[in-house]
Amino acid sequence: MENEKESIRIRYNHVGYGVDFSKTFFVAVLEGGNEHAFEGEIFELVNSLGKPVFTDKLSYCGKAEYTGEILYVGNFTEYRHPGKYRIRVGNQESHLFEISDEWISRQFKSNVKSFYYQRTGEELDKALAGKWARPASHMDDKLEFHPTMNRKGVWNAHGGWYDAGDYGKYIVNGGVSVATLMLACEMKYSLEVVDGVDFVPSFEQPFSLLDEIRFELEFFLRMQDDDGGVFFKVTPGHWDGFMMPADSDVMQKRFILGKSTTSTLNFAGALAQAHRVFAATDPQFATRCLAASRRAYQWALDNPSVEWPHNTEGSGGYGDEHVEDEFFWARAMLYRETCDETLLEKLPHDMEMNPPKLGLDWRDTQNLGWIALALGPLPPCAQELQKTARNALEKTADEILRLQRDDPYGISLRRFIWGSNGIIANHALTSAIVYSWSKNREYLDSAFEQMNFIYGRNPVDVSFVTGSAWSSPMHPHHRICHSDGVEEPIPGLLVGGLNNDRQDMIRKPHYPGDLPGFAYTDERCSFASNETAINWNAPLTSLLALLNQP
Ligand code: 9MR
């Protein structure tokens, strides 16, 4: 038993726990010994001076097939004093972590700022960007059409965020990201919470979430062709090497490429939502967004099956054969803004054909439709629709809870694939959104429990957001982080996380184990587990915004 204690691992949120949220951690023991050996063992919460402030017993939690560990859970939810603490079990101690609400707001701001650092075509000034300042490059204001398009002339596709660790800009992934971020704005407005997290363009970072969203939307508007269709992506001719944007500019040309039904509908959904979000602060911009959204929707009706560009020389594919979910998203968002009956007529069929998923991603976007209807407000004639949407999403949140209860690490995922952290954040965001109207506290705690996995309570002991804790990634697969000459990566970036498909084996990464739960490594070469991307960061950012004062 004493020997066994040497080999235990304490798995906890490395950044912190919220004052009024559940506070649980795990003790993991490699399978092999007496399965219940640690049941009833004492754990202590000790303050920064090493003085115990809370004591309780561990309970058996279960076996994690994906790591071969037996897990025990410790619970100190009832301890509510803000401060810095460690967990002590036998002679093992965790690092210091916080009990506070402040860290949630701090991480939220750091995430928002990471979108600022993803900006293209703009100088990042030292006063704002500090050691990560960089000159304006990748202006993208006179792009040629990709040779496969056989179209003459140039196009202005200036601005927007880099997608990830690469230098591509993609409408379908930018769209789900910006839409996810807008959900936080919508809901914060509707909850009328003013809590130091500003959604107005004056903010201590100094950029607000709304500013960042606007930056991406301005790029979106430039991506709309004269006929209403929307280009798919801006792509370098070839994959960029690990160099700064300014050097990439010298090395090669970038092109505009597309259009497709998915990119056009994605645009329509995001810009209809922008109408809602900007109506109060900039009605003129809001009106422009809605008009652009309508034109895009009409183009998609006229061109319902235009495929994505299959060219992946220089950028990702984001190929998606199903457009029904994008149609639903666009119609639901547009209906909310226009109350147009021709849209309403189609919604029941859309709902039947596109049941909600546990979360959303660039391929499956229907939850944005469901959430639009559930949040409303909708006109009296659509009250039943809203009720149906809320019920369906509540069932989804229940399913997430059930999956979490059956998993020893408390997550609702069943396979670790590319971007698993983004998937977890999206599931958690679903729960937090459902909480906003149901007020069922279980959903909020369930969201927090999943977030613990992202901030360190996982089998590889990593807090997956750069700069968030002692264990955060130092070598993300991110061209700027690698080549800017700054040792620390840009803060506030969420890496993809465990991915047991390990598509990067050819680069010889050093994964810590063969089981699925060890499919992460903090190495630059690991594009399959250690890249960052806006669509993974967006749900985490919105989740932090919603958890910041329940
Ligand atoms: O997030 C995408 C993931 O779902 C796909 O499996 C993967 C392979 O096609 O691509 C991911 O997206 C990448 C995109 O293609 C290019 N920019 C970086 C994205 C994150 O890795």
Side-chain angles (χ1 to χ4, degrees):
M1 183 71 180
E2 278 311 308
N3 284 348
E4 279 184 36
K5 269 192 201 157
E6 300 289 319
S7 61
I8 65 168
R9 302 304 292 257
I10 303 174
R11 301 257 149 84
Y12 62 106
N13 186 323
H14 296 179
V15 188
Y17 295 87
V19 174
D20 291 319
F21 286 98
S22 72
K23 303 176 196 70
T24 55
F25 70 95
F26 301 123
V27 165
V29 190
L30 271 187
E31 208 177 350
N34 170 2
E35 196 164 305
H36 288 260
F38 286 84
E39 190 151 17
E41 274 290 312
I42 297 289
F43 76 85
E44 287 172 326
L45 188 68
V46 299
N47 67 16
S48 50
L49 302 171
K51 185 172 166 276
V53 294
F54 183 88
T55 303
D56 207 340
K57 288 179 179 162
L58 297 175
S59 359
Y60 180 75
C61 183
K63 194 187 279 182
E65 297 298 339
Y66 47 85
T67 58
E69 297 163 324
I70 306 291
L71 294 179
Y72 301 84
V73 61
N75 190 332
F76 52 98
T77 304
E78 59 188 81
Y79 189 79
R80 288 195 164 81
H81 298 281
K84 292 202 170 165
Y85 302 93
R86 295 177 204 273
I87 294 160
R88 187 186 284 160
V89 181
N91 56 7
Q92 303 271 319
E93 264 188 12
S94 75
H95 285 70
L96 278 176
F97 59 86
E98 284 174 46
I99 293 181
S100 80
D101 290 331
E102 197 272 327
W103 77 265
I104 302 175
S105 142
R106 196 174 67 233
Q107 287 304 318
F108 168 72
K109 288 174 184 168
S110 172
N111 274 23
V112 173
K113 183 121 186 214
S114 79
F115 286 90
Y116 164 74
Y117 285 117
Q118 290 292 106
R119 285 186 181 199
T120 71
E122 225 187 45
E123 179 189 359
L124 301 197
D125 187 75
K126 202 156 190 223
L128 310 182
K131 54 188 166 191
W132 294 286
R134 61 172 191 259
S137 25
H138 287 155
M139 301 311 288
D140 295 344
D141 51 354
K142 287 185 213 68
L143 290 179
E144 286 174 26
F145 295 96
H146 193 266
T148 54
M149 286 176 76
N150 204 14
R151 181 166 162 174
K152 293 220 165 20
V154 288
W155 197 266
N156 177 7
H158 173 75
W161 306 311
Y162 292 119
D163 186 57
D166 66 324
Y167 291 146
K169 304 193 288 192
Y170 313 80
I171 286 293
V172 293
N173 207 44
V176 289
S177 306
V178 82
T180 304
L181 292 174
M182 283 193 283
L183 287 177
C185 296
E186 270 190 48
M187 293 176 62
K188 280 293 195 179
Y189 284 140
S190 70
L191 293 171
E192 286 173 13
V193 175
V194 180
D195 56 3
V197 177
D198 270 341
F199 290 109
V200 290
S202 67
F203 160 57
E204 63 262 43
Q205 301 207 119
F207 289 101
S208 71
L209 181 55
L210 212 55
D211 286 327
E212 277 318 310
I213 288 170
R214 174 78 177 249
F215 187 77
E216 181 73 356
L217 293 173
E218 301 269 10
F219 156 67
F220 260 55
L221 288 166
R222 290 185 199 107
M223 289 291 277
Q224 188 167 38
D225 197 2
D226 299 333
D227 63 358
V230 177
F231 297 110
F232 192 87
K233 63 182 172 184
V234 171
T235 174
H238 307 283
W239 285 102
D240 280 293
F242 271 74
M243 59 180 73
M244 288 299 278
D247 298 323
S248 145
D249 255 348
V250 175
M251 296 290 287
Q252 64 165 330
K253 265 196 203 170
R254 291 157 69 82
F255 299 95
I256 190 158
L257 178 54
K259 307 162 270 200
S260 80
T261 307
T262 50
S263 56
T264 304
L265 285 169
N266 188 298
F267 173 103
L271 284 227
Q273 190 184 10
H275 176 254
R276 157 140 320 216
V277 169
F278 286 89
T281 53
D282 189 343
Q284 229 181 334
F285 179 69
T287 307
R288 207 176 132 213
C289 290
L290 184 58
S293 165
R294 285 176 134 147
R295 288 202 311 128
Y297 177 65
Q298 188 55 50
W299 187 93
L301 284 182
D302 298 341
N303 301 273
S305 52
V306 181
E307 287 199 1
W308 68 99
H310 288 232
N311 181 302
T312 52
E313 176 50 56
S315 51
Y318 287 122
D320 177 2
E321 282 163 16
H322 302 286
V323 297
E324 300 77 18
D325 51 313
E326 279 85 7
F327 264 114
F328 174 35
W329 168 20
R331 274 199 272 269
M333 289 286 180
L334 267 168
Y335 176 65
R336 241 183 8 160
E337 302 315 299
T338 61
C339 299
D340 178 340
E341 277 177 22
T342 60
L343 296 165
L344 178 61
E345 276 164 19
K346 294 200 160 90
L347 286 172
H349 181 70
D350 282 339
M351 291 160 92
E352 201 187 318
M353 300 311 288
N354 300 283
K357 298 251 170 178
L358 302 182
L360 63 101
D361 62 45
W362 56 268
R363 204 193 302 268
D364 294 310
T365 61
Q366 59 265 55
N367 279 20
L368 286 163
W370 287 101
I371 293 167
L373 299 180
L375 291 180
L378 300 181
C381 63
Q383 291 307 305
E384 271 309 304
L385 225 55
Q386 181 166 24
K387 226 159 101 193
T388 311
R390 288 188 172 191
N391 283 340
L393 286 171
E394 277 165 41
K395 284 212 179 83
T396 308
D398 288 337
E399 175 62 7
I400 291 172
L401 260 178
R402 190 190 67 71
L403 288 163
Q404 283 183 262
R405 286 194 187 114
D406 284 354
D407 179 77
Y409 272 95
I411 52 174
S412 53
L413 206 81
R414 284 299 173 267
R415 268 199 73 223
F416 294 111
I417 60 169
W418 202 313
S420 61
N421 281 333
I423 300 173
I424 292 170
N426 264 306
H427 290 191
L429 183 60
T430 304
S431 308
I433 290 172
V434 174
Y435 168 77
S436 75
W437 67 79
S438 71
K439 296 290 175 249
N440 179 348
R441 182 67 207 207
E442 270 189 311
Y443 298 144
L444 205 60
D445 281 327
S446 122
F448 203 98
E449 287 287 316
Q450 306 236 49
M451 201 170 68
N452 286 333
F453 190 93
I454 289 176
Y455 285 110
R457 200 179 71 176
N458 55 58
V460 290
D461 298 317
V462 171
S463 176
F464 287 117
V465 180
T466 53
S468 64
W470 57 271
S471 59
S472 299
M474 286 301 285
H475 312 286
H477 180 91
H478 187 274
R479 281 163 176 76
I480 296 175
C481 290
H482 174 77
S483 47
D484 60 6
V486 183
E487 195 185 343
E488 304 106 89
I490 288 168
L493 296 167
L494 174 65
V495 297
L498 303 174
N499 171 9
N500 198 38
D501 293 332
R502 306 183 193 214
Q503 291 92 335
D504 49 18
M505 285 312 276
I506 188 148
R507 305 272 170 92
K508 307 213 176 341
H510 302 83
Y511 286 108
D514 292 334
L515 287 168
F518 301 118
Y520 169 80
T521 175
D522 180 19
E523 290 174 281
R524 186 196 104 184
C525 67
S526 182
F527 59 83
S529 81
N530 207 28
E531 187 167 4
T532 76
I534 53 173
N535 63 314
W536 306 330
N537 223 2
L540 179 62
T541 307
S542 288
L543 178 64
L544 288 162
L546 297 184
L547 291 178
N548 193 21
Q549 281 200 11

